[in-house]
mmCIF file of all heavy atoms in Angstrom:
data_model
loop_
_atom_site.group_PDB
_atom_site.id
_atom_site.type_symbol
_atom_site.label_atom_id
_atom_site.label_comp_id
_atom_site.label_asym_id
_atom_site.label_seq_id
_atom_site.Cartn_x
_atom_site.Cartn_y
_atom_site.Cartn_z
ATOM 1 N N MET A 1 98.080 195.452 129.061
ATOM 2 C CA MET A 1 99.479 195.560 129.045
ATOM 3 C C MET A 1 100.066 194.166 129.115
ATOM 4 O O MET A 1 99.484 193.236 129.568
ATOM 5 C CB MET A 1 100.058 196.368 130.217
ATOM 6 C CG MET A 1 99.807 195.745 131.596
ATOM 7 S SD MET A 1 100.694 196.647 132.805
ATOM 8 C CE MET A 1 102.461 196.271 132.613
ATOM 9 N N SER A 2 101.265 193.938 128.552
ATOM 10 C CA SER A 2 102.032 192.770 128.806
ATOM 11 C C SER A 2 102.992 192.945 129.958
ATOM 12 O O SER A 2 102.866 193.902 130.659
ATOM 13 C CB SER A 2 102.940 192.458 127.503
ATOM 14 O OG SER A 2 103.485 191.104 127.626
ATOM 15 N N TYR A 3 103.733 191.988 130.298
ATOM 16 C CA TYR A 3 104.486 191.915 131.461
ATOM 17 C C TYR A 3 105.769 192.790 131.398
ATOM 18 O O TYR A 3 106.172 192.982 130.178
ATOM 19 C CB TYR A 3 104.731 190.668 132.041
ATOM 20 C CG TYR A 3 105.673 189.832 131.174
ATOM 21 C CD1 TYR A 3 107.013 189.958 131.231
ATOM 22 C CD2 TYR A 3 105.073 188.804 130.262
ATOM 23 C CE1 TYR A 3 107.920 189.073 130.426
ATOM 24 C CE2 TYR A 3 105.881 188.092 129.551
ATOM 25 C CZ TYR A 3 107.279 188.100 129.500
ATOM 26 O OH TYR A 3 108.055 187.307 128.804
ATOM 27 N N VAL A 4 106.361 193.289 132.419
ATOM 28 C CA VAL A 4 107.614 193.916 132.499
ATOM 29 C C VAL A 4 108.496 193.030 133.309
ATOM 30 O O VAL A 4 108.056 192.557 134.407
ATOM 31 C CB VAL A 4 107.469 195.314 133.106
ATOM 32 C CG1 VAL A 4 108.995 195.868 133.334
ATOM 33 C CG2 VAL A 4 106.580 196.151 132.383
ATOM 34 N N GLU A 5 109.708 192.639 132.955
ATOM 35 C CA GLU A 5 110.550 191.667 133.664
ATOM 36 C C GLU A 5 111.534 192.627 134.569
ATOM 37 O O GLU A 5 112.053 193.557 134.151
ATOM 38 C CB GLU A 5 111.295 190.884 132.679
ATOM 39 C CG GLU A 5 111.953 189.636 133.490
ATOM 40 C CD GLU A 5 112.104 188.564 132.348
ATOM 41 O OE1 GLU A 5 111.301 188.113 131.613
ATOM 42 O OE2 GLU A 5 113.243 187.856 132.631
ATOM 43 N N VAL A 6 111.620 192.193 135.814
ATOM 44 C CA VAL A 6 112.532 192.824 136.694
ATOM 45 C C VAL A 6 113.951 192.463 136.342
ATOM 46 O O VAL A 6 114.239 191.329 136.339
ATOM 47 C CB VAL A 6 112.257 192.356 138.162
ATOM 48 C CG1 VAL A 6 113.283 193.093 139.155
ATOM 49 C CG2 VAL A 6 110.747 192.738 138.519
ATOM 50 N N PRO A 7 114.759 193.509 136.141
ATOM 51 C CA PRO A 7 116.162 193.246 135.778
ATOM 52 C C PRO A 7 117.011 192.776 136.936
ATOM 53 O O PRO A 7 116.781 193.120 138.060
ATOM 54 C CB PRO A 7 116.692 194.538 135.239
ATOM 55 C CG PRO A 7 115.847 195.500 136.045
ATOM 56 C CD PRO A 7 114.447 194.911 136.170
ATOM 57 N N ILE A 13 111.105 187.382 136.914
ATOM 58 C CA ILE A 13 110.125 187.908 137.778
ATOM 59 C C ILE A 13 109.356 188.870 136.847
ATOM 60 O O ILE A 13 109.888 189.925 136.360
ATOM 61 C CB ILE A 13 110.644 188.867 138.907
ATOM 62 C CG1 ILE A 13 111.549 188.002 139.859
ATOM 63 C CG2 ILE A 13 109.519 189.354 139.800
ATOM 64 C CD1 ILE A 13 112.146 188.762 141.107
ATOM 65 N N ARG A 14 108.135 188.344 136.482
ATOM 66 C CA ARG A 14 107.338 189.089 135.416
ATOM 67 C C ARG A 14 106.201 189.977 136.083
ATOM 68 O O ARG A 14 105.398 189.251 136.874
ATOM 69 C CB ARG A 14 106.806 188.187 134.377
ATOM 70 C CG ARG A 14 107.790 187.355 133.749
ATOM 71 C CD ARG A 14 107.298 186.320 132.750
ATOM 72 N NE ARG A 14 108.251 185.528 132.203
ATOM 73 C CZ ARG A 14 108.336 184.142 132.190
ATOM 74 N NH1 ARG A 14 107.435 183.497 132.867
ATOM 75 N NH2 ARG A 14 109.379 183.542 131.618
ATOM 76 N N LEU A 15 106.135 191.122 135.872
ATOM 77 C CA LEU A 15 105.234 192.061 136.511
ATOM 78 C C LEU A 15 104.150 192.555 135.517
ATOM 79 O O LEU A 15 104.509 193.094 134.535
ATOM 80 C CB LEU A 15 105.919 193.319 137.083
ATOM 81 C CG LEU A 15 106.552 193.291 138.397
ATOM 82 C CD1 LEU A 15 107.645 192.373 138.587
ATOM 83 C CD2 LEU A 15 106.947 194.586 138.956
ATOM 84 N N TRP A 16 102.888 192.364 135.879
ATOM 85 C CA TRP A 16 101.719 192.830 135.145
ATOM 86 C C TRP A 16 101.257 194.084 135.652
ATOM 87 O O TRP A 16 100.073 194.340 135.997
ATOM 88 C CB TRP A 16 100.628 191.847 135.078
ATOM 89 C CG TRP A 16 100.848 190.939 133.927
ATOM 90 C CD1 TRP A 16 100.219 191.053 132.707
ATOM 91 C CD2 TRP A 16 101.638 189.700 133.779
ATOM 92 N NE1 TRP A 16 100.636 189.985 131.878
ATOM 93 C CE2 TRP A 16 101.587 189.255 132.433
ATOM 94 C CE3 TRP A 16 102.527 189.075 134.707
ATOM 95 C CZ2 TRP A 16 102.216 188.070 132.046
ATOM 96 C CZ3 TRP A 16 103.167 188.039 134.275
ATOM 97 C CH2 TRP A 16 103.062 187.449 133.036
ATOM 98 N N THR A 17 102.211 194.988 136.045
ATOM 99 C CA THR A 17 102.014 196.405 136.597
ATOM 100 C C THR A 17 103.260 197.160 136.385
ATOM 101 O O THR A 17 104.297 196.664 136.030
ATOM 102 C CB THR A 17 101.661 196.302 138.021
ATOM 103 O OG1 THR A 17 101.236 197.595 138.461
ATOM 104 C CG2 THR A 17 102.716 195.881 138.872
ATOM 105 N N ASP A 18 103.144 198.458 136.515
ATOM 106 C CA ASP A 18 104.352 199.397 136.517
ATOM 107 C C ASP A 18 105.120 199.134 137.665
ATOM 108 O O ASP A 18 104.709 199.175 138.799
ATOM 109 C CB ASP A 18 103.682 200.913 136.414
ATOM 110 C CG ASP A 18 104.865 201.819 136.311
ATOM 111 O OD1 ASP A 18 106.136 201.434 136.410
ATOM 112 O OD2 ASP A 18 104.505 203.051 136.161
ATOM 113 N N PRO A 19 106.523 198.849 137.443
ATOM 114 C CA PRO A 19 107.306 198.602 138.515
ATOM 115 C C PRO A 19 107.464 199.742 139.547
ATOM 116 O O PRO A 19 107.502 199.400 140.814
ATOM 117 C CB PRO A 19 108.697 198.365 137.920
ATOM 118 C CG PRO A 19 108.460 197.966 136.479
ATOM 119 C CD PRO A 19 107.166 198.580 136.181
ATOM 120 N N SER A 20 107.288 200.887 139.122
ATOM 121 C CA SER A 20 107.260 202.076 140.106
ATOM 122 C C SER A 20 106.133 202.084 141.043
ATOM 123 O O SER A 20 106.006 202.783 141.986
ATOM 124 C CB SER A 20 107.349 203.400 139.211
ATOM 125 O OG SER A 20 106.144 203.553 138.560
ATOM 126 N N SER A 21 105.097 201.351 140.745
ATOM 127 C CA SER A 21 103.870 201.291 141.563
ATOM 128 C C SER A 21 103.867 200.250 142.606
ATOM 129 O O SER A 21 103.069 200.173 143.487
ATOM 130 C CB SER A 21 102.547 201.073 140.717
ATOM 131 O OG SER A 21 102.527 199.730 140.234
ATOM 132 N N VAL A 22 105.008 199.454 142.560
ATOM 133 C CA VAL A 22 105.126 198.385 143.556
ATOM 134 C C VAL A 22 105.859 198.888 144.793
ATOM 135 O O VAL A 22 106.927 199.464 144.609
ATOM 136 C CB VAL A 22 105.909 197.145 143.010
ATOM 137 C CG1 VAL A 22 106.048 196.020 144.088
ATOM 138 C CG2 VAL A 22 105.152 196.666 141.749
ATOM 139 N N GLU A 23 105.235 198.959 145.981
ATOM 140 C CA GLU A 23 105.840 199.480 147.145
ATOM 141 C C GLU A 23 107.241 198.734 147.415
ATOM 142 O O GLU A 23 107.560 197.595 146.935
ATOM 143 C CB GLU A 23 104.911 199.342 148.279
ATOM 144 C CG GLU A 23 104.576 197.742 148.685
ATOM 145 C CD GLU A 23 103.378 197.604 149.544
ATOM 146 O OE1 GLU A 23 103.510 198.245 150.646
ATOM 147 O OE2 GLU A 23 102.455 196.896 149.157
ATOM 148 N N GLU A 24 108.133 199.504 148.001
ATOM 149 C CA GLU A 24 109.542 199.057 148.247
ATOM 150 C C GLU A 24 109.510 197.782 148.977
ATOM 151 O O GLU A 24 110.309 196.895 148.569
ATOM 152 C CB GLU A 24 110.288 200.097 149.003
ATOM 153 C CG GLU A 24 111.745 199.771 149.202
ATOM 154 C CD GLU A 24 112.509 200.917 150.033
ATOM 155 O OE1 GLU A 24 111.975 201.902 150.178
ATOM 156 O OE2 GLU A 24 113.588 200.573 150.509
ATOM 157 N N ALA A 26 107.289 195.388 149.093
ATOM 158 C CA ALA A 26 106.824 194.255 148.228
ATOM 159 C C ALA A 26 107.868 193.940 147.205
ATOM 160 O O ALA A 26 108.097 192.673 147.039
ATOM 161 C CB ALA A 26 105.459 194.669 147.636
ATOM 162 N N MET A 27 108.563 194.922 146.755
ATOM 163 C CA MET A 27 109.596 194.519 145.660
ATOM 164 C C MET A 27 110.748 193.796 146.380
ATOM 165 O O MET A 27 111.233 192.862 145.734
ATOM 166 C CB MET A 27 110.059 195.750 145.066
ATOM 167 C CG MET A 27 111.117 195.583 143.896
ATOM 168 S SD MET A 27 110.465 194.698 142.506
ATOM 169 C CE MET A 27 109.566 196.055 141.617
ATOM 170 N N LEU A 30 109.778 190.208 146.615
ATOM 171 C CA LEU A 30 109.852 189.461 145.347
ATOM 172 C C LEU A 30 111.206 189.093 145.063
ATOM 173 O O LEU A 30 111.631 187.901 144.586
ATOM 174 C CB LEU A 30 109.274 190.344 144.221
ATOM 175 C CG LEU A 30 107.809 190.677 144.282
ATOM 176 C CD1 LEU A 30 107.402 191.698 143.238
ATOM 177 C CD2 LEU A 30 106.993 189.386 144.047
ATOM 178 N N VAL A 44 103.779 188.338 138.759
ATOM 179 C CA VAL A 44 103.295 189.312 139.756
ATOM 180 C C VAL A 44 102.172 190.044 139.204
ATOM 181 O O VAL A 44 102.216 190.570 138.079
ATOM 182 C CB VAL A 44 104.491 190.299 140.023
ATOM 183 C CG1 VAL A 44 104.042 191.174 141.190
ATOM 184 C CG2 VAL A 44 105.679 189.559 140.471
ATOM 185 N N MET A 45 101.066 189.944 139.902
ATOM 186 C CA MET A 45 99.735 190.446 139.481
ATOM 187 C C MET A 45 99.681 191.986 139.720
ATOM 188 O O MET A 45 100.273 192.531 140.616
ATOM 189 C CB MET A 45 98.552 189.713 140.126
ATOM 190 C CG MET A 45 98.618 188.125 139.829
ATOM 191 S SD MET A 45 98.322 187.726 138.124
ATOM 192 C CE MET A 45 99.913 187.317 137.621
ATOM 193 N N PRO A 46 98.798 192.679 139.060
ATOM 194 C CA PRO A 46 98.658 194.051 139.236
ATOM 195 C C PRO A 46 98.052 194.465 140.532
ATOM 196 O O PRO A 46 98.194 195.742 140.975
ATOM 197 C CB PRO A 46 97.644 194.528 138.052
ATOM 198 C CG PRO A 46 96.964 193.441 137.644
ATOM 199 C CD PRO A 46 97.879 192.187 137.854
ATOM 200 N N ASP A 47 97.475 193.626 141.264
ATOM 201 C CA ASP A 47 97.180 193.938 142.729
ATOM 202 C C ASP A 47 98.158 193.630 143.722
ATOM 203 O O ASP A 47 97.863 193.522 145.003
ATOM 204 C CB ASP A 47 95.880 193.185 142.924
ATOM 205 C CG ASP A 47 95.889 191.610 142.845
ATOM 206 O OD1 ASP A 47 96.788 191.250 142.175
ATOM 207 O OD2 ASP A 47 95.053 190.955 143.499
ATOM 208 N N VAL A 48 99.362 193.465 143.345
ATOM 209 C CA VAL A 48 100.437 193.104 144.256
ATOM 210 C C VAL A 48 100.613 193.994 145.469
ATOM 211 O O VAL A 48 100.453 195.337 145.220
ATOM 212 C CB VAL A 48 101.802 192.940 143.417
ATOM 213 C CG1 VAL A 48 102.181 194.257 142.883
ATOM 214 C CG2 VAL A 48 102.891 192.395 144.337
ATOM 215 N N HIS A 49 100.824 193.527 146.752
ATOM 216 C CA HIS A 49 101.098 194.422 147.741
ATOM 217 C C HIS A 49 101.794 193.525 148.862
ATOM 218 O O HIS A 49 101.777 192.302 148.769
ATOM 219 C CB HIS A 49 99.998 195.105 148.331
ATOM 220 C CG HIS A 49 98.834 194.224 148.688
ATOM 221 N ND1 HIS A 49 97.950 193.727 147.880
ATOM 222 C CD2 HIS A 49 98.290 193.796 150.086
ATOM 223 C CE1 HIS A 49 97.038 192.967 148.520
ATOM 224 N NE2 HIS A 49 97.234 193.034 149.816
ATOM 225 N N GLY A 57 99.284 188.740 145.796
ATOM 226 C CA GLY A 57 99.306 189.100 144.375
ATOM 227 C C GLY A 57 100.515 188.432 143.641
ATOM 228 O O GLY A 57 100.953 189.153 142.573
ATOM 229 N N LYS A 370 93.049 199.665 145.426
ATOM 230 C CA LYS A 370 93.440 200.212 144.016
ATOM 231 C C LYS A 370 92.248 200.192 143.184
ATOM 232 O O LYS A 370 91.131 199.427 143.375
ATOM 233 C CB LYS A 370 94.541 199.306 143.514
ATOM 234 C CG LYS A 370 95.819 199.214 144.206
ATOM 235 C CD LYS A 370 96.845 198.236 143.594
ATOM 236 C CE LYS A 370 98.126 198.075 144.487
ATOM 237 N NZ LYS A 370 99.121 197.136 143.901
ATOM 238 N N LYS A 374 91.462 199.817 136.621
ATOM 239 C CA LYS A 374 92.778 199.807 136.323
ATOM 240 C C LYS A 374 93.538 198.457 136.443
ATOM 241 O O LYS A 374 94.358 197.968 135.600
ATOM 242 C CB LYS A 374 93.688 200.874 137.003
ATOM 243 C CG LYS A 374 95.111 200.902 136.532
ATOM 244 C CD LYS A 374 95.811 202.117 137.414
ATOM 245 C CE LYS A 374 97.237 202.164 136.867
ATOM 246 N NZ LYS A 374 97.972 203.289 137.748
ATOM 247 N N VAL A 375 93.162 197.735 137.420
ATOM 248 C CA VAL A 375 93.750 196.409 137.648
ATOM 249 C C VAL A 375 93.283 195.432 136.495
ATOM 250 O O VAL A 375 94.156 194.639 136.100
ATOM 251 C CB VAL A 375 93.251 195.889 138.998
ATOM 252 C CG1 VAL A 375 93.524 194.418 139.256
ATOM 253 C CG2 VAL A 375 93.954 196.687 140.142
ATOM 254 N N ILE A 376 92.019 195.520 136.163
ATOM 255 C CA ILE A 376 91.502 194.639 135.058
ATOM 256 C C ILE A 376 92.274 195.077 133.820
ATOM 257 O O ILE A 376 92.691 194.155 133.020
ATOM 258 C CB ILE A 376 89.993 194.897 134.891
ATOM 259 C CG1 ILE A 376 89.200 194.253 136.102
ATOM 260 C CG2 ILE A 376 89.522 194.246 133.646
ATOM 261 C CD1 ILE A 376 89.405 192.821 136.346
ATOM 262 N N ASP A 377 92.419 196.427 133.502
ATOM 263 C CA ASP A 377 93.026 196.788 132.264
ATOM 264 C C ASP A 377 94.469 196.359 132.024
ATOM 265 O O ASP A 377 94.952 196.015 130.992
ATOM 266 C CB ASP A 377 92.940 198.297 132.200
ATOM 267 C CG ASP A 377 93.433 198.847 130.833
ATOM 268 O OD1 ASP A 377 92.745 198.442 129.953
ATOM 269 O OD2 ASP A 377 94.333 199.676 130.673
ATOM 270 N N GLN A 378 95.175 196.161 133.234
ATOM 271 C CA GLN A 378 96.548 195.775 133.232
ATOM 272 C C GLN A 378 96.809 194.289 132.887
ATOM 273 O O GLN A 378 97.863 193.818 132.759
ATOM 274 C CB GLN A 378 97.241 196.146 134.567
ATOM 275 C CG GLN A 378 97.564 197.595 134.725
ATOM 276 C CD GLN A 378 97.974 197.958 136.092
ATOM 277 O OE1 GLN A 378 97.533 197.337 137.135
ATOM 278 N NE2 GLN A 378 99.004 198.858 136.126
ATOM 279 N N GLN A 379 95.729 193.532 132.832
ATOM 280 C CA GLN A 379 95.739 192.153 132.608
ATOM 281 C C GLN A 379 94.901 191.623 131.474
ATOM 282 O O GLN A 379 94.319 190.517 131.511
ATOM 283 C CB GLN A 379 95.506 191.361 133.929
ATOM 284 C CG GLN A 379 94.210 191.666 134.633
ATOM 285 C CD GLN A 379 94.091 191.091 135.987
ATOM 286 O OE1 GLN A 379 94.475 189.892 136.136
ATOM 287 N NE2 GLN A 379 93.487 191.765 136.845
ATOM 288 N N ASP A 381 95.843 190.635 128.704
ATOM 289 C CA ASP A 381 96.446 189.461 128.134
ATOM 290 C C ASP A 381 96.338 188.223 128.903
ATOM 291 O O ASP A 381 96.816 187.139 128.607
ATOM 292 C CB ASP A 381 97.881 189.765 127.785
ATOM 293 C CG ASP A 381 98.810 190.111 128.825
ATOM 294 O OD1 ASP A 381 98.317 190.509 129.916
ATOM 295 O OD2 ASP A 381 99.997 189.857 128.694
#
Side-chain angles (χ1 to χ4, degrees):
M1 64 175 287
S2 186
Y3 65 84
V4 175
E5 196 156 316
V6 176
I13 303 178
R14 303 180 182 120
L15 274 68
W16 270 263
T17 188
D18 181 351
S20 65
S21 71
V22 182
E23 58 195 307
E24 183 180 344
M27 186 62 80
L30 294 170
V44 185
M45 301 296 103
D47 59 340
V48 62
H49 58 279
K370 297 177 182 178
K374 183 177 181 181
V375 168
I376 293 294
D377 191 57
Q378 289 176 316
Q379 51 189 322
D381 60 338

